[in-house]
Amino acid sequence: MSRSQLDRPAIPAGLGADDTGCHVLHVDMDAFFASCELRTRPALQGRPVIVGSDAPRSVVLAATYEARRFGVHSAMPMSRARRLCPQAVLIEPTRGLYRAVSEEVMAILGEVTDRIEPLSLDEAFLDVAPAVRRMGRPAEIGRHIRERVRAEQGITCSVGVAATKHVAKLAGAHAKPDGLLVVPTARVLDFLHPLPVSVLWGVGERTGQSLERLGLRTVGDLARAPVETLRHSLGAALGSHLHELAWGRDPRPVEPHRLDKSIGAEETFARDLSDPVAVRAELLRLSERVASRLRRQRVVTRTVALKIRFADFTTVNRSRTLTEATDVAKDLYATAAALYDAMGIGGRRVRLVGVRAESLGPAGQQDRQLAFDEPAIGWREAEVVADEAAVRFGPDAVRPAALLRAPDRTSAAGRHPSGREPDGH
Amino acid sequence: MKFRLDRDDLADSVAWAARTLPSRPSIPMLAGLLVEADEHGLTLSSFDYEVSGRVTLPAEVDEPGRVLVSGKLLADIARAMPAQPVDLSADTSRVELRCGRSTFTLPTLPVEDYPVLPDMPTSSGSVAGPVLAGAVAQVAIAAGRDDTLPTLTGVRVEVTGSVITLAATDRYRLAVRTFDWQPERPDLDSAALVPARTFAETAKSLAGCELVRLSLAGSGAGEGLMGFEGGGRRTTTRLLDGEFPKYRALLPTESATVATVDTGTLTDAVKRVALVAERNTPVRLTFSGDEVLLRAGTGDDAQATEGIEGAVEGDPVEIAFNPSYLLDGVGAVGTPSVRFSFTSATRPAVLTGVADEPSDGADPYRYLLMPVRLSG
């Protein structure tokens, strides 16, 4: 999100067509902090807005694209930003807001694939190879993510689609704001070579000066320079690294972070729900989703949290710790539904519900207290079979009977179309 | 209102009647203790819509009357009074207590709105106080504490003629106890689900009574209530709804291994090795030959091992339990030795008492405990 994104070169023609083999997605929120703030201040849409405090020596945390047009960018001293764009509206940062929105966005991404590598609060790489069968081509998945983030979080994001992390990130930067760009495998060099060397990972100010002295200004210049020259003047490691990147070679896989702190799923209803039966059905659906992700990531949870956001946007979170760690939807649902019932809010209009598994631990390392009413082959095994069916036939292949009529009812209730995963049968 | 009574009588009765009063009542009035004096003596009552308590005791009543005061405060005061007669007098706004040289003045609560206590259901029969208290204590330990499964927070009471069976389970263990009593009608056949905590506490508070009358209302007056009466003290508790699990099917009919161990030795050994068993980690027991080997802790964590004597018949068994569930059961059998019966390491173990004298027929107490399945 730097100034250089605004004076980017034009995108070469012919990009964006063929996404074959482009299974790496780079997803980046547009002017993240500022977008979060604008959700509750719709009147400021389209106006220059700066997020940061008005205190001396403070810096710009985020600026809308309207403010960036005046040269404002993040990390710039606030005093300078105010001189550049005196008409900008200054918003004090809201504690906790960005992390909360980030978690919800990451949850959406987590539903696409478990191969997700977050880079910061507002940015992540996804390897969507396992999701293609279920959700469609990478570009379609990218569009799906953009639509869900917009509809459910009220902010926009940009998506770069390519075969490697490096190119996907550059593609994402080029798509900004609010865009999507595919760099087909065959067109990587066309895309890469006209760009300035500064876009390459590992090229900072000093390396940039060294390259400048060699007369290498574009990625293409660097690519055509003898690798020995680069190794000699930049050092062996960096020289080889940049040479590889300049030829579009980036072998680093998307690395999912170690162990999630929590796994959750949420649903925002297009029309608020007031029927407790419908809310519970949604809790069951979300519990299924969360349990399935727990099993996929081979973790178990000991704490189940329920989140309810009412029509007036007040939000209530409740959690309960279980006797035994679990990855079974039936247990998650029983706890979530009990928390919901205990709130005693029957009839209040609900805008969003969420189920979250916290206190995660590795699966299979827990000793398990057996219960009388738990057959040796039970719910867990049934749900594992459902997981396998979901991989082959899509997420709705096997569902609890209570949800069998759900598509009719929820579509009648006007669930937002983007809230459902497309079936990739 | 004006009366005089013995300090010990007052302290005991107030403490008993006030024991079930809510500390944070939904309505302030429900923290009150109803004090009534008439020609029969003194009556103290408490009620929180779930549990009611009423005790009558002798007093020299000069002037009858009826007031409501803070039960907790009155209990604290009565307990702290010197051992001398207590004079209590009250008007509509305050209560004055004099004992020896101390005087206390308490504000009253509005007595007009105090709810009417439920009528005591008709007596169904009686049992000795210590028998009831012992049986309920043995069973209530296995009751659930999870309010999301309210049915399991109760003790199932089944009356068949002269035999009462109590059962409770939290899905991980099941305690069943049978005992004899004297029913009013020999053909009595009834069942109820009583909140375990109230049941255990009430039975304990009546343990000193030679005879406790039990009232199980089938229908009519007092429906949905169970009543207890002994030594001038009466309690009613509201029953729980819901279908108690069909627990009899869980009781194994055969076993592959039977082991007998000294209760005290086992208790001490489990407590010792469990010191290294962090929350929820099991204690592993190996029963073979004439030894029981106890182990806790795994891998890089702290570990403990102890071997104790035991008489093991049948196949050797290696099995793991939650240590606190195990201690509950071993502590509840109440005999010098405890007998374990196993079918396999993933099926429930049955703990029964081994009395010094052989008993006739079925074990009066059985504690079924589901094992922990080890990950390794």
Side-chain angles (χ1 to χ4, degrees), chain A residues 31-162:
Chain A
F32 181 56
F33 291 9
S35 303
C36 291
E37 297 293 350
L38 289 193
R39 299 199 306 175
T40 48
R41 298 171 175 85
L44 294 180
Q45 290 285 359
R47 295 182 53 189
V49 172
I50 296 173
V51 178
S53 10
D54 204 5
R57 281 199 267 176
S58 74
V59 296
V60 173
L61 294 176
T64 58
Y65 287 86
E66 291 78 7
R68 293 185 197 192
R69 226 161 267 141
F70 292 88
V72 178
H73 58 84
S74 43
M76 171 184 278
M78 186 59 84
S79 50
R80 180 164 152 71
R82 310 248 29 193
R83 276 199 303 278
L84 286 169
C85 187
Q87 66 272 49
V89 178
L90 185 65
I91 297 177
E92 286 279 327
T94 311
R95 223 185 150 78
L97 173 66
Y98 317 118
R99 181 160 297 279
V101 177
S102 169
E103 280 175 11
E104 299 190 8
V105 169
M106 294 299 170
I108 293 173
L109 303 184
E111 286 177 38
V112 171
T113 174
D114 51 1
R115 296 193 199 163
I116 164 173
E117 178 182 342
L119 298 174
S120 63
L121 280 184
D122 60 344
E123 202 182 343
F125 283 118
L126 274 68
D127 179 351
V128 298
V132 166
R133 182 172 205 158
R134 181 165 50 90
M135 300 186 62
R137 305 185 62 88
E140 280 172 52
I141 295 174
R143 278 188 281 274
H144 165 77
I145 289 171
R146 289 190 359 94
E147 177 54 24
R148 270 197 75 183
V149 169
R150 190 196 59 73
E152 295 178 25
Q153 302 302 324
I155 61 176
T156 62
C157 64
S158 301
V159 176
V161 184

Side-chain angles (χ1 to χ4, degrees), chain B residues 336-359:
Chain B
S337 296
V338 54
R339 179 186 293 120
F340 287 81
S341 309
F342 305 102
T343 43
S344 83
T346 55
R347 300 294 309 146
V350 186
L351 279 67
T352 48
V354 184
D356 293 335
E357 295 159 36
S359 66

Side-chain angles (χ1 to χ4, degrees), chain B residues 94-365:
Chain B
R94 20 188 86 247
V95 172
E96 192 182 85
L97 282 119
R98 286 173 180 277
C99 181
R101 299 175 68 167
S102 37
T103 303
F104 292 87
T105 314
L106 282 66
T108 63
L109 298 164
V111 71
E112 303 75 32
D113 307 327
Y114 196 73
V116 179
L117 265 66
D119 286 334
M120 191 74 180
T122 326
S123 167
S124 315
S126 58
V127 61
V131 172
L132 179 71
V136 178
Q138 282 182 307
V139 171
I141 47 160
R145 290 173 187 86
D146 181 356
D147 289 329
T148 60
L149 299 168
T151 309
L152 298 186
T153 63
V155 171
R156 163 98 168 166
V157 181
E158 293 169 350
V159 183
T160 314
S162 64
V163 177
I164 291 183
T165 305
L166 304 181
T169 179
D170 61 1
R171 299 175 63 235
Y172 308 117
R173 57 254 175 90
L174 163 72
V176 184
R177 169 70 203 262
T178 53
F179 59 93
D180 291 335
W181 76 318
Q182 291 75 47
E184 302 282 344
R185 286 178 10 233
D187 61 341
L188 186 66
D189 192 352
S190 181
L193 191 58
V194 189
R197 263 177 61 186
T198 309
F199 198 6
E201 218 207 12
T202 301
K204 190 177 164 193
S205 76
L206 298 174
C209 300
E210 210 166 295
L211 217 58
V212 176
R213 290 195 171 282
L214 303 180
S215 315
L216 276 158
S219 60
E223 191 181 0
L225 292 177
M226 182 163 178
F228 305 84
E229 183 180 3
R233 296 169 176 185
R234 301 159 154 206
T235 291
T236 63
T237 176
R238 224 215 283 259
L239 299 178
L240 293 168
D241 292 327
E243 183 92 359
F244 193 76
K246 298 205 173 2
Y247 67 92
R248 287 184 196 277
L250 299 173
L251 301 167
T253 48
E254 49 193 28
S255 58
T257 308
V258 176
T260 308
V261 191
D262 181 77
T263 307
T265 308
L266 178 62
T267 304
D268 292 345
V270 172
K271 282 183 181 166
R272 268 193 294 272
V273 299
L275 291 173
V276 301
E278 283 176 44
R279 198 174 130 69
N280 270 303
T281 61
V283 168
R284 307 188 297 288
L285 292 89
T286 310
F287 295 82
S288 70
D290 54 4
E291 197 190 44
V292 182
L293 187 65
L294 294 88
R295 283 173 297 160
T298 50
D300 297 334
D301 299 335
Q303 300 187 20
T305 310
E306 181 163 345
I308 60 172
E309 275 180 36
V312 184
E313 293 164 36
D315 308 334
V317 174
E318 189 173 354
I319 196 164
F321 296 115
N322 173 320
S324 63
Y325 293 172
L326 177 61
L327 285 171
D328 280 347
V330 173
V333 295
T335 52
S337 296
V338 54
R339 179 186 293 120
F340 287 81
S341 309
F342 305 102
T343 43
S344 83
T346 55
R347 300 294 309 146
V350 186
L351 279 67
T352 48
V354 184
D356 293 335
E357 295 159 36
S359 66
D360 49 335
D363 293 299
Y365 180 65

Side-chain angles (χ1 to χ4, degrees), chain A residues 302 320-324 330-331 334-335 338-339 364-376 381, chain B residues 146 148 169 171-174 250 279-282 322 325 345-346 348 368-376:
Chain A
R302 280 184 52 84
R320 176 168 289 166
T321 298
L322 310 168
T323 321
E324 289 296 315
K330 184 175 163 279
D331 298 337
T335 311
L339 288 167
Q365 292 183 20
Q366 261 86 5
D367 301 318
R368 212 149 65 89
Q369 170 68 53
L370 301 175
F372 291 120
D373 54 354
E374 173 183 40
E381 286 70 14
Chain B
D146 181 356
T148 60
T169 179
R171 299 175 63 235
Y172 308 117
R173 57 254 175 90
L174 163 72
L250 299 173
R279 198 174 130 69
N280 270 303
T281 61
N322 173 320
Y325 293 172
T346 55
L368 265 69
L369 176 54
M370 282 302 279
V372 171
R373 185 153 70 194
L374 299 175
S375 64

